[in-house]
Amino acid sequence: MANDNISWNLEDFVDSLVVELDKTRETLAIKAINKPLTYTVKDLAIDLNIFPTFDGDQIRFTTAQPGQEGASKVNIQLGSITDQQVRATTKMSGLKNDTKIEEIGVDQKTRNKLRKMGVNSVDDLQQIEKKHVDIQRASDNEIDYKTLANEIQKSRRSQTPPRVNTVSLSVDEQDRPFLHVRGENLTLNPKYPPVTVINHNLAEVLEFNANELKILLSKDHITQAESELIMTFDPYTLVKMNIRL
Amino acid sequence: MIDEAFLPFGDLVDKILDIPGATITDDVNGIHSYIYEIEIGTPVELDISVDENGKVRIGSVPPLYRVNSSFRPSYHSITIKAEKYTPPEHGE
């Protein structure tokens, strides 16, 4: 054989098998134009002689080579399934706002543990939460739920990053100067009021919402022509910019 | 890359299901029959390789030799149940 006998996992094997069968189906319609009597695969069973290995986390298979005896046998059966059955047994994946577990910053061990529990996305995790399941306890304390929840929030926030459109100087009813910051996705969670710093001095936020922020200015803030403005809208976002006052 | 002695698995299935003489005509009695469902089982040699992207490639070939030898290939087996293909109506 031209290639080394590399081990493979069952999921990848079945994926390739399905791709190959799909190819035959795709050409079938063309073939049927000139050859009315053509056949489509209804069921397929495959018996493989393999040597399974377990690396402590995943089972992989090595295909038995000529002359190798004592291999295990795995039988895979692929059956036809109707569209209706697919809808009934498959969870809709790839939804617009659904975040895959791989996309959030959790370590490999946690990812594997979640996957074993059937959790592949943030949406899956929310479904479990709705049933009031304590994931930390269900995983024998192997999943640190606090860290996980934090990473999910961080990931969600990165999908709606804050954007500053304009910063202008204005005065309020009491003739106090304030910075008027306008933009999008600024303060999304009222649990976390924004914190602002101008030229290393904390500045009071008068008003805030998702689209604007009013920051009270004092003499301490206007020390130079170009000022540094730092704004945090929650524990996951920090906006730093230079402004001329 | 699949070993050049092997076919991609889909091609093997195509070839197995390319059945000559699927229509049986008895002109004397005026009977025409055709195979509407068929089940075929065969031992196969498989070359399952993993490419540089981690994708599994399945190469397959039916047994090439009919002579028994002390050093035998590892024969896996496949069973395919196929039925007559009816094209979908109205371009579904």
Side-chain angles (χ1 to χ4, degrees):
Chain A
M1 301 224 173
N3 302 296
D4 294 333
N5 196 17
I6 303 170
S7 64
W8 39 269
N9 70 41
L10 196 59
E11 189 184 353
D12 292 340
F13 177 80
V14 174
D15 278 352
S16 294
L17 198 61
V18 171
V19 167
E20 290 291 332
L21 289 175
D22 281 348
K23 273 189 217 163
T24 67
R25 273 194 202 105
E26 280 161 19
T27 53
L28 209 56
I30 303 161
K31 216 198 258 178
I33 298 170
N34 293 317
K35 199 168 180 257
L37 202 54
T38 47
Y39 295 91
T40 179
V41 177
K42 197 175 165 193
D43 300 303
L44 182 131
I46 184 162
D47 271 329
L48 298 170
N49 303 324
I50 43 91
F51 293 100
T53 51
F54 181 57
D55 62 6
D57 180 46
Q58 220 183 12
I59 293 178
R60 296 182 70 82
F61 300 111
T62 310
T63 323
Q65 298 289 287
Q68 289 182 333
E69 286 179 12
S72 306
K73 209 172 254 296
V74 63
N75 178 265
I76 298 166
Q77 300 202 20
L78 296 179
S80 303
I81 184 164
T82 63
D83 290 352
Q84 202 178 0
Q85 283 170 307
V86 171
R87 279 194 291 274
T89 57
T90 314
K91 180 183 169 287
M92 182 85 82
S93 65
L95 292 172
K96 208 177 166 188
N97 297 322
D98 201 5
T99 308
K100 285 189 176 301
I101 290 295
E102 294 85 41
E103 291 166 14
I104 59 173
V106 292
D107 59 276
Q108 188 66 37
K109 194 180 146 200
T110 307
R111 275 211 296 263
N112 290 345
K113 196 79 195 170
L114 286 168
R115 206 181 149 97
K116 278 180 196 166
M117 292 166 83
V119 176
N120 292 308
S121 67
V122 173
D123 185 54
D124 290 342
L125 208 56
Q126 281 171 333
Q127 296 298 326
I128 291 179
E129 278 173 13
K130 275 185 198 161
K131 307 254 178 202
H132 305 291
V133 175
D134 184 342
I135 292 181
Q136 192 152 339
R137 240 169 66 188
S139 68
D140 294 332
N141 285 322
E142 280 187 49
I143 294 173
D144 179 357
Y145 186 71
K146 205 176 159 190
T147 311
L148 183 64
N150 201 35
E151 289 299 336
I152 290 169
Q153 291 296 336
K154 196 168 141 186
S155 157
R156 279 202 191 128
R157 189 55 162 126
S158 68
Q159 287 174 356
T160 48
R163 204 171 84 181
V164 174
N165 295 333
T166 58
V167 180
S168 57
L169 195 61
S170 197
V171 285
D172 67 0
E173 298 85 21
Q174 298 162 45
D175 282 339
R176 294 180 300 175
F178 71 88
L179 268 185
H180 197 174
V181 181
R182 290 187 184 91
E184 289 159 37
N185 304 322
L186 300 180
T187 310
L188 296 181
N189 190 344
K191 208 170 96 185
Y192 302 113
V195 177
T196 58
V197 174
I198 303 170
N199 293 331
H200 311 290
N201 288 307
L202 205 62
E204 187 190 340
V205 177
L206 297 169
E207 282 176 39
F208 62 88
N209 60 42
N211 300 314
E212 64 175 354
L213 198 69
K214 290 179 181 173
I215 308 164
L216 187 64
L217 290 173
S218 71
K219 275 190 290 180
D220 298 337
H221 298 131
I222 313 162
T223 52
Q224 55 213 61
E226 195 163 278
S227 302
E228 185 190 61
L229 169 66
I230 298 172
M231 300 177 283
T232 60
F233 301 109
D234 48 56
Y236 320 105
T237 52
L238 187 140
V239 175
K240 191 174 167 183
M241 57 173 63
N242 288 333
I243 50 169
R244 282 176 188 274
L245 291 171
Chain B
M1 218 176 108
I2 298 171
D3 190 302
E4 57 189 21
F6 291 77
L7 290 168
F9 189 75
D11 290 3
L12 178 81
V13 173
D14 268 348
K15 285 184 193 302
I16 289 175
L17 295 182
D18 191 6
I19 306 160
T23 311
I24 302 140
T25 311
D26 181 350
D27 289 331
V28 178
N29 297 308
I31 298 167
H32 292 254
S33 306
Y34 68 90
I35 301 168
Y36 67 91
E37 194 170 276
I38 189 164
E39 189 170 316
I40 302 169
T42 174
V44 281
E45 279 187 64
L46 293 176
D47 172 28
I48 304 173
S49 55
V50 182
D51 70 13
E52 60 275 13
N53 301 318
K55 198 174 169 193
V56 172
R57 304 263 175 199
I58 310 167
S60 49
V61 71
L64 294 174
Y65 306 105
R66 294 178 187 179
V67 179
N68 205 359
S69 60
S70 57
F71 190 77
R72 301 187 63 176
S74 179
Y75 288 130
H76 312 269
S77 83
I78 56 166
T79 306
I80 300 170
K81 196 173 187 179
E83 62 183 2
K84 185 186 175 299
Y85 172 69
T86 311
E89 286 173 20
H90 312 300
E92 275 173 52

